Amino acid sequence: MSLAKPVMRGLLGKRLRFHLPIAFALSFVAAIGFKYGVTEPRKQAYADFYKQYDAVKEFTAMKEAGVFESVRPSGE
Amino acid sequence: MAHPSQLGFQDAASPVMEELLHFHDHALMIVFLISTLVLYIIVAMVTTKLTNKYILDSQEIEIIWTVLPAVILILIALPSLRILYLMDEINDPHLTIKAMGHQWYWSYEYTDYEDLGFDSYMIPTQDLTPGQFRLLEADHRMVIPVESPIRVLVSAEDVLHSWAVPALGVKMDAVPGRLNQTAFIASRPGVFYGQCSEICGANHSFMPIVVEAVPLEHFENWSSLMLEDA
């Protein structure tokens, strides 16, 4: 009875061929995840904010809250 | 202004700052891509005893790890140059304000129509009223009309200073004997804070910048009042 000769060469290459595609795939997943988890929502948030933005209303609210120094609230 | 434990930029209050924000997200995405790849490779390499002592060269991998970084750099450079040229566009300002740096306060001059000028000192901590921000408030704010292109000419009377307002995406060095120009548009009304950004002596951290963006009619009322008080 004889045993099969164990693999003795190319072990590092085999490890690299296994791990490098995973490394590239994971890095792309990280980039895509950041793009669709952070970048696109931030762009959309800014677009949505200015779509419904009423500058006069916001200014009046800030004025009445006393935020500005050049313009005081109505009561003052 | 910045809030406690903030990590990212302040909310953009000008179109240029919005572009800078989105570009930063794009560049950071590329940073995460490269960092994930490198970290995975490092962990894979330190967790093995396997070696190959007989590698001499490999033309294929040399080409890959030259071309790929070049492509990545181009992907960063193109939006970067786009924003750079966007910031330099002739924008026909409605108002020009001179911001002069002194040790240790700013002075603002509105000389387009009348001769309006005033100093802007930091409000000391002991003089703050409840709700005001420590080391950020100034006794006189630089008031501007909202949604109007503003040109700021920045210079200094003594040593180097730098006029910066992060929310507006503006920073310009104040150099004695030199007139630097920057421009911005405040997209929304509000109060925007900045701090001197070039070391200028003992009170470098205590000469803040406060920009107040209000509708045009209120800006005109304010400037009339300031001229009367002067």
Side-chain angles (χ1 to χ4, degrees), chain A residues 70-71, chain B residues 95 113 116 143-145 214-228:
Chain A
S70 59
V71 184
Chain B
L95 186 65
Y113 303 103
L116 170 61
V143 181
I144 57 165
V214 296
L216 182 61
E217 50 166 315
H218 298 283
F219 166 76
E220 287 168 346
N221 294 340
W222 167 83
S223 58
S224 305
L225 273 167
M226 289 292 285
L227 280 163
E228 279 170 25

Side-chain angles (χ1 to χ4, degrees), chain B residues 91-113:
Chain B
N91 57 2
D92 192 22
H94 294 178
L95 186 65
T96 298
I97 304 170
K98 290 187 263 294
M100 303 293 294
H102 309 254
Q103 282 178 312
W104 288 279
Y105 62 98
W106 293 94
S107 62
Y108 300 108
E109 298 166 31
Y110 296 64
T111 48
D112 280 343
Y113 303 103

Side-chain angles (χ1 to χ4, degrees), chain B residues 46-85:
Chain B
V46 301
T47 53
T48 180
K49 289 182 181 172
L50 297 171
T51 57
N52 183 341
K53 300 180 293 185
Y54 304 106
I55 298 179
L56 294 173
D57 66 2
S58 166
Q59 291 302 317
E60 297 81 8
I61 198 170
E62 292 278 356
I63 290 170
I64 290 169
W65 69 29
T66 304
V67 169
L68 209 54
V71 167
I72 288 173
L73 284 173
I74 290 171
L75 284 178
I76 296 172
L78 288 177
S80 176
L81 289 169
R82 179 186 148 264
I83 295 178
L84 192 65
Y85 280 83

Side-chain angles (χ1 to χ4, degrees), chain A residues 41-68:
Chain A
R42 201 198 299 278
K43 279 188 188 155
Q44 195 57 42
Y46 272 87
D48 292 342
F49 176 82
Y50 281 107
K51 213 183 298 183
Q52 304 294 336
Y53 188 66
D54 183 347
V56 174
K57 177 173 156 239
E58 296 296 329
F59 167 74
T60 309
M62 283 192 267
K63 182 185 83 157
E64 295 307 322
V67 165
F68 299 113

